[in-house]
Amino acid sequence: MNWTADENQDLAPLPQGMRSTGVRRSRRPQQPWQFDEFRILSIDGGGIRGILPATILELCERNFLGGGSAGRCFDMITGTSTGGIIALGLGRGKTAAEILQLYTDHGGEIFPQVPDAKGLASIWRRSVKIGRDVRRVRYSPRALTEHLEKTFGGDVYGESERRLVIPTFDAHTKINVLKTPHHPDFRIDWQNRMVDVALATSAAPTYLPPHRIGTQVYADGGVWANNPVMLGLVDALTCYDLDRHKVRILSLGCGSGELRFTEKQMVRGGQWDWRNLVSTAMDLSSQSADGQARLLVGADRFCRLDLPDQVHPIPLDDFETAMKLLPQEGERLFQQNQQQLASFFEGPRPTYEAHYGPRVAAP
């Protein structure tokens, strides 16, 4: 049996062969919180569209922090998929500028595009691409893995200076939330390499293959928590004896599509007409998460920045369009919300006390 806390009688094991974090039969013991507030940064998933939140954070670093890392101004960072990669970088003390450079310099290698063609050649290439996508994942993880290795090297999750909460799901189709060791219950995930956590949360089905960590296989957390804001808020409130009115949240999106029934969906409503249902469900769950978080902490303590609904949203692998549009959109959002953003970067937050791993204080 695998347990994750010393109070074994309060925990129940999960089925054999699964990543077992234990299920408590009692409320999680809350740790004291003695500081004035608890700041959470939440970053959505969205593939190469991660350029948008990375741009906003880079502008915050340049204007409010003299180029220092935005991560140091938050008590917890939660991110899904591309947001998880940004969260990992910030947690390790890297700047948003460095992470943004990963996207802008190497996004074309991670998501290589088929060259443009005209006439019959264009039709043929599109047909070949569709046929290939039906049979196998669209991209090799080789380029992404290579650049993540250069970014994080052999660093393990437990080396993060910030509390991290990153969703994924496993081969048993069970949700998993990978957490730094900021609570005594969280004794498993800190041992994973940051590279592996990044590849696990960003393994978007049909785009990239699932990622193996040890005996388990993981896929993109965006399938069930593309906007992870409630994961961070619930974790904060259950780990710490914390008044929810002391929590402040900055939630950054990556651009969403317009949610509107088409004429064909209303008239026919077949599987083909609803073929984009997964992305629609992800957007709806994102709205729900933001709404719940805003109700819990108060609208005055919650800031959400995202693009307005787009009739034709940027595909998560469209590097050229993302590079053309998103840096300027990030600049626009920063300028429109500069005063509110500044309030999240008023001084650094203390690093967390680690219960396991390399950051545990020596006795």
Side-chain angles (χ1 to χ4, degrees):
M1 298 290 187
N2 289 322
W3 305 94
T4 59
D6 294 330
E7 301 84 5
N8 289 359
Q9 68 275 13
D10 289 336
L11 298 174
L14 294 180
Q16 186 67 29
M18 294 171 58
R19 172 186 177 271
S20 176
T21 57
V23 177
R24 277 195 167 272
R25 297 191 182 96
S26 62
R27 182 179 179 183
R28 176 178 294 155
Q30 291 178 299
Q31 302 170 105
W33 184 258
Q34 68 271 31
F35 303 104
D36 56 338
E37 64 178 5
F38 193 102
R39 292 185 207 157
I40 298 175
L41 172 62
S42 175
I43 311 171
D44 288 14
I48 196 61
R49 299 196 308 261
I51 288 173
L52 181 66
T55 296
I56 295 170
L57 291 169
E58 186 275 329
L59 288 166
C60 291
E61 291 177 343
R62 198 191 320 164
N63 286 272
F64 307 139
L65 302 174
S69 173
R72 72 186 190 189
C73 293
F74 293 91
D75 298 291
M76 175 179 288
I77 308 174
T78 180
T80 299
S81 194
T82 193
I85 293 174
I86 297 172
L88 285 159
L90 295 176
R92 196 64 184 98
K94 299 184 182 301
T95 65
E98 293 176 280
I99 303 165
L100 179 59
Q101 190 172 6
L102 169 65
Y103 288 88
T104 57
D105 289 359
H106 305 294
E109 302 169 46
I110 296 168
F111 297 119
Q113 303 299 299
V114 177
D116 290 335
K118 297 181 180 179
L120 291 176
S122 175
I123 296 173
W124 170 252
R125 285 183 179 177
R126 284 201 302 270
S127 300
V128 170
K129 182 176 181 297
I130 292 172
R132 182 194 63 196
D133 291 347
V134 168
R135 297 191 307 272
R136 62 187 184 190
V137 293
R138 186 172 297 181
Y139 302 105
S140 165
R142 186 177 299 111
L144 177 59
T145 303
E146 176 186 337
H147 292 296
L148 289 174
E149 292 279 4
K150 291 178 180 178
T151 301
F152 297 113
D155 293 349
V156 297
Y157 199 35
E159 291 181 90
S160 171
E161 297 173 358
R162 301 293 146 184
R163 301 167 185 83
L164 298 181
V165 175
I166 297 179
T168 182
F169 75 96
D170 64 27
H172 299 272
T173 62
K174 300 296 181 182
I175 64 174
N176 287 258
V177 183
L178 309 181
K179 301 177 182 180
T180 46
H182 53 270
H183 189 279
D185 282 3
F186 306 156
R187 63 171 59 190
I188 294 179
D189 299 329
W190 71 264
Q191 304 170 72
N192 295 326
R193 293 195 315 151
M194 285 191 164
V195 170
D196 287 320
V197 175
L199 290 170
T201 191
S202 61
T206 76
Y207 289 92
L208 291 164
H211 183 68
R212 182 179 295 277
I213 303 178
T215 61
Q216 298 298 327
V217 179
Y218 298 96
D220 194 334
V223 171
W224 67 277
N226 201 55
N227 177 346
V229 65
M230 279 301 294
L231 298 181
L233 179 55
V234 168
D235 190 80
L237 295 177
T238 55
C239 284
Y240 299 96
D241 186 10
L242 176 65
D243 182 345
R244 60 189 170 95
H245 299 105
K246 288 187 175 182
V247 178
R248 298 182 62 231
I249 300 174
L250 175 59
S251 175
L252 302 179
C254 293
S256 57
E258 184 179 53
L259 302 178
R260 182 181 300 176
F261 288 160
T262 67
E263 187 68 25
K264 291 180 179 179
Q265 286 171 335
M266 290 187 288
V267 174
R268 299 189 311 201
Q271 292 184 9
W272 176 254
D273 301 314
W274 284 95
R275 62 191 180 278
N276 295 320
L277 181 60
V278 171
S279 60
T280 300
M282 289 165 62
D283 287 337
L284 291 171
S285 68
S286 176
Q287 291 180 35
S288 174
D290 273 339
Q292 292 170 6
R294 186 179 285 108
L295 285 170
L296 284 169
V297 305
D300 59 326
R301 305 184 69 80
F302 183 92
C303 177
R304 170 71 173 179
L305 300 186
D306 198 2
L307 298 182
D309 289 347
Q310 304 159 283
V311 177
H312 301 293
I314 302 171
L316 64 81
D317 59 342
D318 190 344
F319 173 68
E320 291 185 4
T321 305
M323 279 296 297
K324 180 180 178 181
L325 299 178
L326 294 183
Q328 64 190 43
E329 289 294 336
E331 173 80 32
R332 180 182 61 79
L333 286 169
F334 173 80
Q335 294 296 339
Q336 289 178 348
N337 300 276
Q338 187 167 350
Q339 184 175 355
Q340 191 173 12
L341 283 168
S343 68
F344 285 95
F345 297 91
E346 296 174 345
R349 305 301 296 169
T351 57
Y352 74 94
E353 177 186 353
H355 293 274
Y356 311 101
R359 290 191 60 254
V360 174

